[in-house]
Amino acid sequence: MAARKPRTRTSAASGASAPAPPPFNHRHLLGIGQLDRAEITGLLDRAEAMVEVSRRPNKHLERHAGRTQINLFFEASTRTQASFEIAGKRLGCDVVNMAVRTSSMNKGETLIDTVATLNAMQPDVIVVRHSAAGAVELLSQKVGCSVVNGGDGAHEHPTQALLDALTIRRHKGRLDGLTVAICGDIANSRVARSNLLLLGAMQARTRVVAPATLLPRGIETLAGEVFTDMAAGLAGADVVMMLRLQSERATGKLVPSVREYYRFYGLDEEKLAAAKPDAIVMHPAPMNRGVEIDPMVADGPRSVIEEQVEMGVAVRMAVLDALLTRREEHG
Amino acid sequence: MDSPRVIENARLIDPASGRDEPGAVLIENKRIAEIATGAAPGVPEGAERIDAGGLVLAPGLVDLRVFTGEPGHEYRETLASAADAAAAGGVTTFLLMPDTDPVIDETALVDYVIRRARGISKIRIYPAAALTKGLRGEEITEFGLLKEAGARALTEGRTSLADAGLLRAALTYAKNFEMPVIHHVADASLTGDGVMNAGAFATALGLKGIPIEAETVPLDRDLQLALASGARYHTAQISCAASADIVRRALKRSDRVSCGVSINSLALNENDIGSYRTFFKLSPPLRAEEDRQAMVAALADGTISTIHSAHDPQDVETKRRPFAEAADGAVGLETLLAVALRLYHAGDVDLMTLLKALTSSPADLLGLETGRLRIGDKADLILIDLDRPWVVSDAALSSRSRNTCFQGARMTGRVVRTFVSGRTVYDEAD
């Protein structure tokens, strides 16, 4: 009688012990902004099962064998691209990496033209990273397959926020009610936006901490509290999330120097002392040791930065699985 | 020679004089020969009688800010297609911005545009000349010769002069020739990489914001220099409440300064951008709803004296891009009046004030004898059905480009017939 429930079949094939995750009702994952609390929890649960898979000697889950995944990166990122590639391959997908060189003159043209070409190759999912906010959404309107936002300008980076949330949940057992301080270049960070949206939806208490030149106007509508002083911003925090400072920003335009930035906003043991004793330290990587974070902290006992990388693969497997399963069901 | 025409049974509205009453207009030899209250005057033999059916008869609109693609980018818009769009929107005169390729910065180009427009255009097109050579902001152009050639105003078009010393010299020299200077105010260093109004919405979209100070700082500077020089100075467009306050203060000191507004800043706000809709990427950017309301209030109280369409045709290639990489601008000639009438129907601005900002005020700035119901003037007139419902369809636009902010919008009121020199250049019935 339940013979026509494909989800039962796929979870049986996975061998995972967890119950079948709730269905994912989006064609694309363009941002955390499109997800509600239940959908976020569903993806995190799905990712939890993928952590198990990834720790087995045989990591293959042939659930999506024969599917084609294209990683379309207009902005170079070896880590994120590798993470999506491994995630896709563990699900059985054929993964193609495409790095598109863009000159500033014809970025837009390249985007639309490239998309039309790729769409004709009948992929099942395209993972896109682009330097312009909204570019991934624009692209998603022109293709017949699912699209995952691998980061668009300073807008969103949803899989990063999901992997951060999974990491926090594994350490703290929950997200709601936690105090999370996000520190650094908020103005230019898609990681900060996606995390603020996700943590807000999960009812965590969010804070942003940065020099005023790196705080965008209206940030108080996204973050619970806004601080320009690290000690005050970290006081009582359960989670300290550091952001990368692009070195070109510390050349006197917005921040006078790396030296001054590190003195007031770099995370060292002294500043971290303001947070709760069991606070965890996170960073989306790649890190600038000695710019936004002291190597002692980055590699210290409270750092979960390496674990974030592991969770990244699990979360991306979960996202790809959710989209490809939906595609299987809806055609 | 055209035979005489009488437009009768009309509601005559002349914003310059405040006239609003039933009446008729007699057109002879392309000009307004007589204006009568109530019934038509003695109609000459052989005259054509046009029954206005009680519709509004007003002066044709004068639009101070129109970009076309001719010369240089004819695929976007030609002078002829812009004129068709203007006629359909009730615009009988527009000021052509010099941002063409080549830039209108010398007498030969002014002469070219005037001759070309005379040959192919249904309506009156006057060129504005570049304030500086090539719009580069380095050396001023030949104001006197450009005026002789027929340029009606000086402007940097889309760009804004950064060099305060050069602007001071330009204003002083423009005063020498009594040439109006129409200047767009946007400080490049404060605009930075910004692509929309700075604020919570830009932050949520991950787009760089343009702070209002990018407008208020150069506006304040411009007004100080304009007042000191005594030049006829018009801020092309303001977009935020703080700018209206600055202009209000300056108006107390001089009637030689004034400012305009884009119809888009009166009708739309930043939320219209929605999900990165590039047709709403404009210059100045759409601001917050409070700013839009402040623009409406500033129009109602006379701080803002002119409304323009900011007609800026852009093709698919420049708009079908990620928001930050897309070109600014929207077409607007055909929707200018209908969108303005929204303010009238909402009870925000009375009809006389609205029409004045669209007719006699811009005409006066350019020193044109148009924009009025006045005996002896060229018969550039429009018939307006204030209550006609219609829906904007980009496919029905006369413009070569389709980048309208009002696709699918429901409007109340439109131009049903446009006359230039007494001849019908647009008739809705056709």
Side-chain angles (χ1 to χ4, degrees):
Chain A
M1 60 175 195
R4 294 186 59 77
K5 278 172 74 182
R7 264 184 289 113
T8 310
R9 177 174 57 78
T10 51
S11 59
S14 79
S17 56
F24 188 72
N25 286 319
H26 299 279
R27 187 171 150 215
H28 310 296
L29 179 65
L30 300 177
I32 297 297
Q34 76 186 69
L35 304 177
D36 63 22
R37 189 186 166 110
E39 289 167 328
I40 291 166
T41 305
L43 283 174
L44 295 179
D45 292 346
R46 203 186 279 257
E48 197 74 59
M50 298 301 177
V51 176
E52 314 273 325
V53 174
S54 294
R55 287 180 176 175
R56 300 193 309 221
N58 178 1
K59 300 171 177 58
H60 267 233
L61 198 64
E62 296 295 340
R63 190 178 289 181
H64 299 293
R67 299 308 190 87
T68 303
Q69 172 190 337
I70 299 178
N71 293 336
L72 179 60
F73 278 58
F74 292 89
E75 212 180 52
S77 163
T78 38
R79 289 155 180 273
T80 307
Q81 184 170 311
S83 184
F84 271 109
E85 180 176 357
I86 291 167
K89 284 182 171 165
R90 285 186 183 166
L91 292 173
C93 295
D94 299 319
V95 184
V96 181
N97 288 320
M98 282 196 60
V100 184
R101 291 234 165 269
T102 56
S103 74
S104 58
M105 290 301 289
N106 60 359
K107 274 180 195 163
E109 260 176 82
T110 308
L111 176 66
I112 295 295
D113 294 348
T114 308
V115 167
T117 310
L118 290 184
N119 192 46
M121 296 178 188
Q122 302 288 340
D124 296 283
V125 60
I126 305 181
V127 179
V128 189
R129 170 167 287 194
H130 197 282
S131 59
V136 179
E137 182 171 337
L138 175 66
L139 183 149
S140 75
Q141 295 159 3
K142 314 280 175 193
V143 295
C145 67
S146 292
V147 172
V148 178
N149 184 356
D152 64 324
H155 178 224
E156 280 236 43
H157 191 357
T159 56
Q160 178 72 43
L162 287 164
L163 77 87
D164 289 341
L166 183 62
T167 309
I168 297 170
R169 205 176 73 166
R170 287 171 67 93
H171 279 269
K172 301 290 176 189
R174 64 191 167 105
L175 292 167
D176 59 290
L178 293 179
T179 299
V180 182
I182 306 176
C183 313
D185 188 0
I186 308 292
N188 297 292
S189 175
R190 53 192 170 218
V191 175
R193 278 170 187 73
S194 286
N195 265 306
L196 288 169
L197 290 169
L198 189 150
L199 294 165
M202 303 308 283
Q203 288 167 342
R205 287 194 291 264
T206 56
R207 296 174 176 176
V208 292
V209 190
T213 45
L214 297 180
L215 289 169
R217 278 194 197 189
I219 189 65
E220 64 284 355
T221 59
L222 279 174
E225 292 177 279
V226 181
F227 295 88
T228 53
D229 179 75
M230 277 288 266
L234 296 196
D238 296 289
V239 178
V240 180
M241 207 179 264
M242 300 307 296
L243 299 173
R244 180 182 168 82
L245 182 78
Q246 303 279 346
S247 53
E248 63 267 24
R249 302 209 199 283
T251 54
K253 295 279 193 275
L254 296 169
V255 172
S257 67
V258 165
R259 184 171 79 161
E260 174 146 319
Y261 187 79
Y262 183 71
R263 167 70 184 83
F264 292 97
Y265 297 97
L267 185 67
D268 54 19
E269 292 289 356
E270 190 188 329
K271 297 192 190 83
L272 185 56
K276 283 189 182 161
D278 64 345
I280 56 170
V281 173
M282 308 179 73
H283 194 294
M287 278 182 282
N288 293 310
R289 287 185 174 80
V291 177
E292 70 262 0
I293 192 162
D294 181 340
M296 296 290 284
V297 173
D299 307 317
R302 297 205 253 178
S303 167
V304 297
I305 296 168
E306 272 184 33
E307 190 181 335
Q308 286 174 270
V309 178
E310 183 190 356
M311 294 307 120
V313 176
V315 153
R316 284 162 186 137
M317 285 174 77
V319 166
L320 292 168
D321 180 47
L323 293 171
L324 291 170
T325 303
R326 181 191 175 277
R327 190 167 164 76
E328 191 173 283
E329 290 169 5
H330 293 72
Chain B
M1 199 173 95
D2 298 344
S3 61
R5 285 178 135 176
V6 177
I7 305 170
E8 55 191 346
N9 189 22
R11 175 182 168 191
L12 303 182
I13 296 188
D14 178 33
S17 65
R19 179 181 201 146
D20 182 357
E21 60 187 7
V25 167
L26 171 65
I27 301 165
E28 278 182 324
N29 297 327
K30 302 180 179 178
R31 292 176 186 273
I32 297 173
E34 204 173 337
I35 303 169
T37 303
V43 178
E45 200 159 323
E48 180 195 357
R49 301 177 78 131
I50 297 168
D51 183 354
L55 298 182
V56 169
L57 183 67
L61 310 186
V62 180
D63 191 335
L64 287 177
R65 192 169 180 85
V66 172
F67 299 89
T68 75
E70 184 175 353
H73 297 280
E74 283 80 358
Y75 55 92
R76 284 185 196 158
E77 192 86 289
T78 60
L79 291 172
S81 65
D84 288 348
V91 174
T92 52
T93 299
F94 72 67
L95 187 67
L96 177 69
M97 292 293 102
D99 313 45
T100 45
D101 185 10
V103 169
I104 302 171
D105 62 357
E106 53 175 279
T107 54
L109 285 154
V110 170
D111 191 57
Y112 166 81
V113 169
I114 289 172
R115 284 169 192 276
R116 179 100 179 118
R118 200 174 283 151
I120 57 171
S121 168
K122 297 172 171 176
I123 64 134
R124 295 178 212 288
I125 299 175
Y126 294 102
L131 203 53
T132 66
K133 289 175 189 166
L135 297 172
R136 285 187 299 272
E138 290 163 3
E139 308 146 74
I140 57 173
T141 53
E142 299 162 319
F143 297 175
L145 292 173
L146 289 163
K147 183 180 183 181
E148 275 186 355
R152 285 293 173 161
L154 299 163
T155 180
E156 286 289 86
R158 287 189 185 87
T159 43
S160 192
L161 204 49
D163 184 333
L166 190 63
L167 179 64
R168 181 172 174 276
L171 287 165
T172 308
Y173 195 62
K175 166 85 168 92
N176 192 63
F177 290 100
E178 283 304 323
M179 275 287 266
V181 172
I182 303 177
H183 196 219
H184 172 68
V185 283
D187 183 285
S189 67
L190 288 167
T191 300
D193 301 331
V195 293
M196 68 172 287
N197 185 40
F201 192 42
T203 295
L205 289 175
L207 293 172
K208 289 265 169 39
I210 302 174
I212 59 166
E213 294 80 10
E215 178 172 296
T216 57
V217 169
L219 174 64
D220 222 354
R221 172 201 72 171
D222 276 26
L223 288 168
Q224 288 185 46
L225 295 174
L227 292 175
S229 69
R232 180 71 185 91
Y233 169 87
H234 187 73
T235 299
Q237 40 194 3
I238 62 172
S239 67
C240 60
S243 290
D245 291 340
I246 292 169
V247 173
R248 219 168 260 129
R249 283 199 297 276
L251 288 176
K252 287 189 183 134
R253 293 178 55 193
S254 170
D255 60 1
R256 298 280 291 165
V257 297
S258 55
C259 91
V261 69
S262 160
I263 188 68
N264 300 315
S265 296
L266 290 168
L268 305 168
N269 67 33
E270 59 180 345
N271 297 323
D272 286 296
I273 290 168
S275 189
Y276 305 98
R277 297 201 290 170
T278 57
F279 282 12
F280 295 84
K281 183 167 187 265
L282 306 173
S283 172
L286 295 174
R287 299 282 183 189
E289 173 59 13
E290 305 86 83
D291 291 311
R292 187 195 71 82
Q293 289 174 10
M295 292 302 93
V296 174
L299 175 66
D301 73 18
T303 304
I304 290 173
S305 60
T306 65
I307 305 170
H308 58 250
S309 68
H311 182 84
D312 195 350
Q314 296 291 337
D315 60 292
V316 168
E317 281 305 308
T318 55
K319 280 292 189 184
R320 200 183 59 180
R321 287 166 174 255
F323 194 88
E325 296 166 9
D328 293 333
V331 295
L333 279 165
E334 283 161 270
T335 47
L336 173 63
L337 180 68
V339 178
L341 288 175
R342 281 182 171 181
L343 303 177
Y344 157 69
H345 287 297
D348 291 336
V349 184
D350 65 74
L351 190 56
M352 201 64 83
T353 304
L354 265 182
L355 289 176
K356 189 171 185 182
L358 289 162
T359 58
S360 61
S361 291
D364 289 351
L365 175 67
L366 301 181
L368 298 173
E369 291 187 347
T370 186
R372 288 175 158 75
L373 297 184
R374 181 168 55 189
I375 292 170
D377 277 7
K378 290 272 174 60
D380 293 355
L381 305 166
I382 52 176
L383 273 176
I384 309 168
D385 183 342
L386 293 174
D387 300 311
R388 173 77 60 85
W390 63 291
V391 177
V392 179
S393 162
D394 59 2
L397 295 178
S398 306
S399 178
R400 281 203 179 180
S401 292
R402 302 273 181 256
N403 54 314
T404 172
C405 290
F406 298 99
Q407 166 61 9
R410 289 166 196 283
M411 301 289 178
T412 304
R414 64 172 298 147
V415 171
V416 297
R417 198 156 167 178
T418 304
F419 304 89
V420 171
S421 290
R423 288 186 191 170
T424 303
V425 294
Y426 170 78
D427 190 338
E428 190 210 17
D430 290 346

